[in-house]
Amino acid sequence: MLTTHPFDDDKLREECGIFGITGADTASALVALGLHALQHRGQEAAGITSFDGDHFHTHRAMGHVAGNFDRDEVIRGLPGMVACGHVRYSTTGETALRNVQPLFADLASGGFAIAHNGNISNAMKLRRDLVRRGSIFQSTSDTETIIHLVATSAYRTLLDKFIDALKQVEGAYALICMTPEGMIACRDPLGIRPLVMGKLDDAIIFASETVALDVVGAEFIRSIEPGEIVIVREGQTQSIHPFDNVAKRPCIFEHVYFSRPDSIVDGSSVYSVRKAIGAQLAIEAPVEVDLVIPVPDSGVPAAIGYAQESGIPFELGIIRSHYVGRTFIQPGDKVRHLGVKLKHNANRALIAGKRVVLIDDSIVRGTTSLKIVQMMREAGAAEVHMRIASPPTRHSCFYGVDTPERAKLLAARMQVEEMREFIHADSLAFVSIDGLYKALGEERRQDIRPQYCDACFTGDYPTTLTDHDDLAVEDQFQLLAERVN
């Protein structure tokens, strides 16, 4: 059976990464490079669409960018000076080629390609209404609702149709769209999902993270503002803000885990923020131990910060193999258990007889933490403590993150002491929500809405959740019907 690696399966997973470029001779090749840099944001599938001035060309495939877009014949099949690409995990829509983006449709105004990072939280309601009006969907992706809203809009120009469509959706989106008229990039009014703009010679680039600009040698210009739409036509950029002004709420978990540490998110170095979170964690939850050990790789910056603040030595007590993919064959329970050590193995000579504190970015289901604590004890650790560089994850995300159902979140079912017993650690502590804001250079104020979307920790969702609420009502009716029958 082919299955997800057990260490990877217990992480919150960012939905997607997007990259677009207009005005470059080797557009599709540059998009492929940019997608390589964004591979951590989505590893199920990848796609690139290009435009040569007359025709759109698309190549989509399951799996990683490498192996699918590093062949000359693939890139030659994507000609043109304009291209956009997408790497994907799935939350809405099955894992199938028909859901791989960019999605493309021939509209009355011409070809329209779209790459989307985020999640439309009223997509099911919109889809039902569109189907009643005669729309025929080709995928199960929430992104396709945007295409149909554009296609059925009564407005005259494509830009007005696009704005009309976005005013009907709720949730989170960073979008890159390609049309015969030019490239469009936009970010939802709350700025939940990130999007940046760069420049390479005369070409304009849009990407989910600055690291993708670095990889292609582009200059970072700025972040796209929440609620901003940028249109690029023949090398000229136009910026408009067609939505009502609202307080921005960018995703706080981009700083904790999703973004690469070498990226800049909304003006802050991700690496520096993660070190600051670790230092704050050392202040809030000190412990007498011999070694600070990161859970690789995402726990490393926070562990450095914890070690520097506490004065306790930092050591690589867990060695990660970078030659194991996300999936591998697991024919039985015994081999499945041994397979864990393919990716993470204890540095036994370092750990034996030592008191250690493990630093990780989050606890989701708790299965990974349990296995790592067990690994440390089997390696001879005298004590195993755990510190988490985010508050307890108690709520599901509906904005483009692959979160388990709330009932499967360990922190939704247990208090911290119960969680400690579950993972068999000697102690367990999380950074506080106020401490997380402090590490970001902010003060979390109680008199206003939070400066970030921190709903996965607090349950304070920044938008309505139409589809979720409708399902909850349906579930209540179903329960009532079962009781009556």
Side-chain angles (χ1 to χ4, degrees), residues 17 65 74 80 94 114 145 153 172 246 252 260 280-281 285 299 350 373 413 417 425-426 448 467 477:
V65 179
V74 172
E94 61 188 324
I114 183 169
T145 59
S153 173
V246 292
I252 202 166
R260 264 179 50 163
Q280 183 65 28
L281 188 55
L350 181 73
V373 170
R413 310 194 318 266
E417 176 58 21
D426 290 291
I448 61 172
D467 291 342
F477 277 120

Side-chain angles (χ1 to χ4, degrees), residues 245-416:
N245 286 329
V246 292
K248 65 180 182 178
R249 295 281 299 276
C251 173
I252 202 166
F253 220 88
E254 290 285 348
H255 298 278
V256 174
Y257 175 67
F258 295 142
S259 295
R260 264 179 50 163
D262 46 345
S263 279
I264 306 294
V265 174
D266 289 327
S268 298
S269 159
V270 174
Y271 179 78
S272 296
V273 168
R274 289 178 188 168
K275 280 183 63 179
I277 296 171
Q280 183 65 28
L281 188 55
I283 293 168
E284 294 183 358
V287 62
E288 291 188 12
V289 293
D290 303 305
L291 300 174
V292 176
I293 293 175
V295 177
D297 287 323
S298 56
V300 171
I304 293 172
Y306 193 101
Q308 290 177 348
E309 178 65 33
S310 65
I312 301 168
F314 169 96
E315 295 286 357
L316 296 178
I318 301 171
I319 306 302
R320 177 184 175 182
S321 170
H322 292 268
Y323 302 98
V324 179
R326 280 191 48 80
T327 56
F328 63 102
I329 302 297
Q330 294 183 342
D333 288 339
K334 183 176 181 180
V335 175
R336 182 179 297 111
H337 176 72
L338 294 174
V340 170
K341 296 183 178 180
L342 283 175
K343 195 160 191 179
H344 295 80
N345 192 40
N347 191 347
R348 186 177 298 269
L350 181 73
I351 291 166
K354 298 291 197 307
R355 299 169 301 169
V356 303
V357 58
L358 301 169
I359 311 295
D360 204 355
D361 58 85
S362 60
I363 291 181
V364 183
R365 295 177 178 87
T367 52
T368 291
S369 301
L370 174 63
K371 289 168 185 171
I372 290 179
V373 170
Q374 180 183 357
M375 181 188 294
M376 293 294 99
R377 295 204 187 280
E378 290 174 352
E383 295 177 15
V384 183
H385 304 266
M386 192 157 234
R387 298 292 181 267
I388 306 301
S390 63
T393 304
R394 294 195 170 101
H395 304 271
S396 297
C397 176
F398 300 97
Y399 302 120
V401 178
D402 185 11
T403 315
E405 298 171 8
R406 191 170 182 227
K408 294 180 181 178
L409 294 171
L410 196 66
R413 310 194 318 266
M414 299 180 184
Q415 297 301 312
V416 173

Side-chain angles (χ1 to χ4, degrees), residues 2 7 19 70 76 78 134 155 217 223 254 260 341 404 478 481:
L2 196 64
F7 275 84
F19 187 99
D70 52 4
R76 284 199 302 271
L78 296 166
Y155 283 84
S223 294
E254 290 285 348
R260 264 179 50 163
K341 296 183 178 180
Q478 182 63 30

